[in-house]
Amino acid sequence: MLATKLSNALVTPSNVANTLDWRKAFGAVLGLDITRERIGIAVVEHPEHICESIPLKSIPLHDTGAKKAGISKNALSELETIIRHHHVCASVVNWPVRDGRMGEDCGKVLHVLDAIIDRSNSIISNKRPFTLWGSSSNGSFASFPLDNWGRSVEFVRAPAYIPGMSFSSKSVLRQEPSYDPSLVAASVLEEWVETHWQIDSNLGIATAPKLTPKNFFFDPSSVDEFNSEMASLQAALL
């Protein structure tokens, strides 16, 4: 399978950390949380300057009344403005796995990122790369015990019943989250920073980037494969 522009721009989380370490005097990393209706945004400078990420105002993914496909021109313009204003050198994108599973939310993220890189070369590119960061709070199959046959018990866990709940996946998954996605983006950035640097807040010193747990990295070839598989479900993502 030929690599896409999206997979060419995808790097490991430690690579993004090294990029920020190289540009720590004048650079920042952008955090993104992509939902069905909005993009949560946060920025963080090198931890030697300030280790707290700053949430910005989230922006609508689509124009009011417009067809909900890809990303609007206004959203692209706002992202480009933020990139220039904060001297962003790379991005950390929330990878919304649920209990270790990649579902519709992950497909939506790749769909929007693909639209961004296809319509703008100043937000994400091989010169301004991005990484996918699966927050530890989302869970992983590695954290669940195995049964006698070496299978994760999570595969056979029945969902908790809620009175009046609907069994239609579309009616559940299409609901827009009630939380502020920019706070999620900020949280993702803080977790990423804490994973890669040892920070001494008293001395204002951050050591060189540490090794990153491999389970946080999504292989570029897998992005292309996942995009190919999700193409048949594109109507469900719009």
Side-chain angles (χ1 to χ4, degrees):
M1 178 179 293
L2 295 176
T4 63
K5 289 192 294 184
L6 185 63
S7 61
N8 282 334
L10 174 63
V11 298
T12 64
S14 59
N15 189 296
V16 173
N18 288 330
T19 299
L20 183 58
D21 208 43
W22 180 257
R23 302 184 184 182
K24 62 183 177 181
F26 197 67
V29 168
L30 186 71
L32 297 175
D33 179 50
I34 300 171
T35 70
R36 183 164 295 279
E37 302 292 341
R38 305 188 69 82
I39 301 179
I41 305 170
V43 292
V44 67
E45 296 181 1
H46 193 277
E48 281 192 1
H49 301 157
I50 180 171
C51 60
E52 292 185 357
S53 58
I54 303 173
L56 306 179
K57 183 179 180 181
S58 63
I59 60 178
L61 193 56
H62 315 287
D63 292 332
T64 303
K67 182 180 179 181
K68 296 182 178 181
I71 182 172
S72 71
K73 184 177 180 179
N74 288 333
L76 284 173
S77 178
E78 289 193 49
L79 285 173
E80 289 171 344
T81 299
I82 292 170
I83 293 285
R84 292 192 300 269
H85 180 74
H86 293 279
H87 307 287
V88 171
C89 59
S91 298
V92 176
V93 182
N94 183 34
W95 187 235
V97 294
R98 294 291 180 266
D99 296 329
R101 297 183 176 92
M102 293 180 293
E104 184 185 10
D105 290 341
C106 292
K108 180 65 176 179
V109 169
L110 294 182
H111 181 71
V112 172
L113 290 176
D114 201 38
I116 289 174
I117 201 171
D118 189 53
R119 297 174 57 188
S120 173
N121 59 8
S122 59
I123 299 174
I124 294 175
S125 66
N126 56 357
K127 294 183 179 180
R128 188 177 282 116
F130 78 100
T131 192
L132 297 171
W133 184 266
S135 174
S136 59
S137 62
N138 289 339
S140 168
F141 285 131
S143 63
F144 293 99
L146 303 179
D147 63 14
N148 294 334
W149 291 272
R151 301 170 303 186
S152 172
V153 298
E154 181 65 8
F155 278 108
V156 296
R157 180 179 61 84
Y161 175 74
I162 301 175
M165 72 180 292
S166 171
F167 290 93
S168 169
S169 60
K170 293 186 182 296
S171 64
V172 175
L173 293 177
R174 288 182 180 274
Q175 293 179 354
E176 182 69 4
S178 58
Y179 54 78
D180 183 354
S182 288
L183 296 180
V184 175
S187 177
V188 166
L189 278 182
E190 289 179 1
E191 186 176 279
W192 170 76
V193 168
E194 291 172 357
T195 301
H196 288 85
W197 282 275
Q198 294 285 354
I199 302 171
D200 189 325
S201 56
N202 294 325
L203 298 178
I205 298 175
T207 60
K210 303 183 298 181
L211 293 178
T212 308
K214 294 183 178 180
N215 62 328
F216 286 116
F217 176 57
F218 197 57
D219 187 78
S221 62
S222 299
V223 169
D224 291 334
E225 293 172 2
F226 189 70
N227 255 338
S228 178
E229 293 173 1
M230 293 301 294
S232 61
L233 301 176
Q234 185 173 3
L237 297 175
L238 302 180

